[in-house]
Amino acid sequence: MSDNKKPLNFIEKIIEDDLASGRISRLKTRFPPEPNGYLHIGHAKSICLNFGLAKKYKGSCNLRFDDTNPEKEDEEFVESIKQDVQWLGFQWEGDIHFTSDYFDQLYEWAIGLIKEGKAYVCDLSPDEAREYRGSLTEPGKNSPYRNRSVEENLELFEKMRAGEFDEGACSLRVKIDMAHPNMQMRDPIIYRIKKAMHHQTGDKWCIYPSYDYAHGQGDAIEGITHSICTLEFEEHRPLYDWFIQNLPVPSEPHQYEFSRLNVNYTVTSKRKLKQLVDEGVVSGWDDPRMPTISGMRHRGYTPKSIRDFVESTGVTRTDGVVDVSQLEFSVREDLNENAPRAMCVLNPLKVVLTNYPEDKRETMTAPGHPNRDDFAERLLPFSREIYIDRDDFREEANKKYKRLVLGKRVRLRNAYIIEADEAIKDDSGEIIEVRARVIENTVGKNPEDGIKAKGVIHWVCATNHVNCEVRLYDRLFTEEFPDAGGKDFMNSVNPESLKVLTNCKLEMSLSKPNTDIPYQFEREGYFFVDLKDSRPEHLIFNRTIGLRDTWNK
Ligand code: ATP
Ligand code: MG
């Protein structure tokens, strides 16, 4: 895709204007995750946008952990987030940053605000504070503690910091305007008491800055020029600007908002994803059914397919929900072009070729990819006994069924045409074997008697193959909007989202499968080695995605 030809999105327009007018000389963005969960497809959008803009305009992008909420944060999440960003193909500039790196500076600036009479320690309980705050239709009321003297505020704030008060006993608030039409401006809290261990700062602090107080200042300290976030922060922008104007910050970042990415048939909220993990609905944050980046990686989605998908959703200020099939389309498109081909029989049924000598062995050849010659040719052992899929045989069928039927012919992909003679059944009537014949001289040719085969099926040699397990995934939720209107998303978890097949037969050339990219198992879909559970002696493949969209009405 040529960057110059695509119309600019609204953020690119702003950046180009800022570069042209000289407001900035170099673009600097940041991706600011809170390390309280694994990243999901929505975060991928923010990553591609922030890092992508930095790349496009030859600027840079920081990775900053917004770690102001110690109770919910964890080092495990920090590591997973770093891995996800790099896997998506991006690199932050220099070291990673933590908002907690700025705790000292933020504390000093808070003291500065107190000294200027712009901040005060407030003893209202959370419930009282809510009452005093007013509503969208009613102005708030000034806190009775609003007019404390500078000296008293300095002393109380120092006591807060020293751990002399209980959690919730008081907070530090900035003095703006309790009647402001924007509720965010009604003397927001900038420090709360939290007696919690912090994963970066240990027990150094028992007061923590609010997100609003910390975020813009972190941007200013890092020299971020464009602080890009999602639309729910639009209302916070005046407060963002207030801090920048009222503190001696080293630079003047601006905030811009875009609409979040929402995808149907899933949930994208770390809290809800955590619930799925905690309640054992899925095997972990990286379960292949999860919309997390690690889940998608586990399943076989490629970084390119995720970047392409995100790109296809555009950057706007209008909220909406993207159809998950748009994501699946990007995955299929990438894999169709780049996945090596192979044959795997998922539900094996043995076929004995009665006219093929027992000790005869042949090797068929097949392209690694139908239209790429940079893929190695595959060698397929062939013998008297083979496996085909149960769905590919019927005793009788109408003309629409173009697979193997008694008395009819079918082509084995890359091998002979065969004709079925007999179905052998067990006592319960289940077909356990098919007897058939090869039609001589039909490898790569039509039969001499002129009776052609109607269809082509895949197969695997019964004496020379690899056993494997295959995990088939379906959407995690049966409802299109699992959490719409406050619905409990746990009620629409799809009970059939995972199906395990333990007796699959894989062609020999995959005895040591590639772990960089999924394979296309011909006629079945795209399958990726399960990098967590697969063992050389017990191969496990995850179905990334089927060949076609089977959900389309
Ligand atoms: P969640 O609601 O899942 O907890 P969050 O917004 O609290 O997400 P953060 O870790 O704060 O998660 O997000 C880091 C960055 O990713 C923020 O800039 C946020 O705006 C952005 N982001 C989060 N979710 C989405 C989304 N669905 N679409 C686009 N950007 C998102
Ligand atoms: Mg957040």
Side-chain angles (χ1 to χ4, degrees):
M1 215 171 306
S2 149
D3 276 341
N4 337 347
K5 294 214 183 98
K6 251 184 6 191
L8 300 180
N9 65 48
F10 80 96
I11 295 181
E12 290 170 330
K13 279 194 196 120
I14 292 169
I15 293 170
E16 297 203 356
D17 286 348
D18 286 345
L19 285 165
S21 73
R23 179 179 93 78
I24 62 164
S25 57
R26 183 167 180 265
L27 176 68
K28 191 152 185 184
T29 56
R30 87 286 170 265
F31 173 62
E34 204 180 323
N36 61 351
Y38 281 60
L39 299 182
H40 52 63
I41 185 71
H43 296 113
K45 176 149 191 169
S46 180
I47 294 172
C48 292
L49 182 59
N50 281 294
F51 285 93
L53 288 168
K55 204 165 175 175
K56 176 169 179 181
Y57 293 104
K58 300 194 170 48
S60 62
C61 182
N62 283 359
L63 174 59
R64 181 196 319 146
F65 289 97
D66 230 318
D67 56 348
T68 51
N69 198 356
E71 287 117 330
K72 291 184 181 157
E73 296 163 2
D74 200 305
E75 193 62 31
E76 175 195 352
F77 300 135
V78 170
E79 288 310 312
S80 74
I81 290 169
K82 283 157 64 178
Q83 186 188 9
D84 288 349
V85 169
Q86 289 179 318
W87 179 77
L88 277 174
F90 299 107
Q91 184 59 49
W92 49 90
E93 184 175 69
D95 293 336
I96 57 170
H97 300 263
F98 290 90
T99 299
S100 55
D101 296 343
Y102 314 134
F103 281 177
D104 285 312
Q105 176 69 81
L106 290 167
Y107 177 74
E108 272 179 37
W109 280 338
I111 289 181
L113 288 172
I114 295 175
K115 286 184 178 162
E116 290 175 33
K118 291 178 183 165
Y120 62 97
V121 173
C122 178
D123 299 355
L124 288 179
S125 71
D127 282 341
E128 290 166 335
R130 201 166 305 123
E131 224 186 281
Y132 274 81
R133 217 171 156 224
S135 68
L136 285 174
T137 48
E138 277 173 58
K141 287 183 296 192
N142 284 352
S143 159
Y145 307 99
R146 201 174 199 255
N147 291 320
R148 278 174 162 161
S149 67
V150 169
E151 290 67 35
E152 193 184 0
N153 279 319
L154 286 173
E155 194 185 312
L156 288 170
F157 188 48
E158 171 52 26
K159 285 188 175 165
M160 273 173 73
R161 193 199 57 79
E164 290 182 26
F165 299 122
D166 290 338
E167 288 191 13
C170 49
S171 61
L172 186 70
R173 300 173 68 178
V174 282
K175 212 183 266 186
I176 305 181
D177 179 1
M178 286 307 291
H180 203 288
N182 181 336
M183 305 255 304
Q184 305 296 331
M185 300 295 271
R186 296 184 187 170
D187 291 10
I189 292 178
I190 64 170
Y191 269 97
R192 283 187 181 82
I193 300 171
K194 268 184 225 163
K195 303 212 163 154
M197 281 293 274
H198 189 281
H199 55 103
Q200 299 297 323
T201 57
D203 61 1
K204 177 172 175 191
W205 298 94
C206 63
I207 54 170
Y208 289 93
S210 65
Y211 172 89
D212 284 315
Y213 178 54
H215 197 86
Q217 282 49 264
D219 288 340
I221 292 170
E222 292 174 21
I224 302 303
T225 56
H226 294 71
S227 179
I228 302 166
C229 60
T230 36
L231 273 181
E232 69 270 22
F233 290 100
E234 182 173 18
E235 237 191 70
H236 299 235
R237 192 183 341 128
L239 181 56
Y240 184 102
D241 293 340
W242 189 91
F243 287 123
I244 298 295
Q245 283 151 17
N246 285 276
L247 291 169
V249 289
S251 76
E252 280 191 31
H254 287 221
Q255 174 183 303
Y256 304 91
E257 309 87 24
F258 70 102
S259 57
R260 313 170 63 83
L261 171 62
N262 300 303
V263 179
N264 63 2
Y265 290 105
T266 194
V267 293
T268 45
S269 142
K270 281 182 280 190
R271 186 180 61 73
K272 290 172 186 165
L273 296 175
K274 183 168 188 301
Q275 195 179 337
L276 292 167
V277 174
D278 289 347
E279 296 188 19
V281 172
V282 294
S283 65
W285 285 97
D286 63 352
D287 186 292
R289 292 165 290 180
M290 291 280 269
T292 51
I293 297 176
S294 52
M296 294 189 282
R297 171 166 68 235
H298 193 177
R299 182 163 169 159
Y301 283 30
T302 57
K304 179 179 186 317
S305 63
I306 295 175
R307 290 193 306 261
D308 288 351
F309 164 66
V310 162
E311 170 95 38
S312 76
T313 62
V315 179
T316 67
R317 287 178 54 87
T318 328
D319 272 322
V321 181
V322 176
D323 198 308
V324 64
S325 62
Q326 194 173 328
L327 170 62
E328 294 169 347
F329 172 84
S330 297
V331 180
R332 282 194 191 95
E333 200 175 49
D334 184 25
L335 294 180
N336 183 40
E337 198 174 315
N338 296 306
R341 280 15 183 202
M343 290 197 287
C344 181
V345 174
L346 301 188
N347 297 295
L349 172 62
K350 186 177 275 186
V351 176
V352 177
L353 302 166
T354 53
N355 64 341
Y356 197 89
E358 248 170 77
D359 53 356
K360 185 171 174 181
R361 295 284 182 276
E362 281 179 271
T363 303
M364 309 296 171
T365 58
H369 189 285
N371 39 36
R372 287 183 54 171
D373 44 22
D374 53 329
F375 282 52
E377 193 174 65
R378 297 137 57 200
L379 301 178
L380 308 169
F382 189 88
S383 68
R384 179 180 161 94
E385 298 191 352
I386 60 168
Y387 289 114
I388 64 169
D389 199 282
R390 282 195 171 270
D391 286 345
D392 285 341
F393 173 75
R394 284 192 197 163
E395 291 177 271
E396 327 164 42
N398 65 22
K399 283 193 176 132
K400 277 193 209 148
Y401 184 80
K402 294 197 166 51
R403 311 179 210 174
L404 190 61
V405 180
L406 284 184
K408 302 271 168 56
R409 292 179 179 186
V410 82
R411 172 168 299 280
L412 299 176
R413 185 144 173 90
N414 304 302
Y416 291 101
I417 287 172
I418 63 172
E419 185 170 321
D421 295 322
E422 188 187 355
I424 313 246
K425 297 179 184 169
D426 65 10
D427 294 341
S428 69
E430 196 191 352
I431 299 171
I432 50 168
E433 186 181 303
V434 174
R435 305 240 149 180
R437 274 167 297 117
V438 300
I439 310 299
E440 300 292 344
N441 262 324
T442 51
V443 180
K445 287 187 228 156
N446 280 323
E448 282 152 15
D449 62 12
I451 307 174
K452 291 186 191 162
K454 288 229 185 71
V456 183
I457 62 174
H458 61 288
W459 58 278
V460 165
C461 178
T463 49
N464 215 338
H465 63 267
V466 186
N467 288 308
C468 70
E469 175 180 321
V470 161
R471 297 177 180 171
L472 303 175
Y473 300 103
D474 205 339
R475 292 177 183 171
L476 189 50
F477 295 96
T478 52
E479 286 195 31
E480 185 169 4
F481 307 109
D483 53 358
K487 257 188 310 192
D488 184 356
F489 63 99
M490 293 299 255
N491 293 335
S492 59
V493 169
N494 179 3
E496 283 162 20
S497 58
L498 168 63
K499 200 167 146 198
V500 180
L501 303 175
T502 52
N503 182 33
C504 306
K505 308 289 183 186
L506 186 61
E507 72 174 63
M508 209 53 211
S509 72
L510 266 66
S511 59
K512 289 195 185 67
N514 188 336
T515 53
D516 301 333
I517 191 169
Y519 288 90
Q520 185 191 99
F521 290 170
E522 292 177 286
R523 299 181 62 225
E524 296 290 2
Y526 297 97
F527 294 78
F528 189 46
V529 177
D530 188 303
L531 294 174
K532 269 187 114 178
D533 297 344
S534 192
R535 303 280 170 267
E537 66 285 359
H538 181 79
L539 291 179
I540 302 175
F541 286 84
N542 292 319
R543 183 168 67 190
T544 310
I545 187 88
L547 290 178
R548 277 173 302 276
D549 185 356
T550 50
W551 276 67
N552 256 344
K553 307 117 224 176

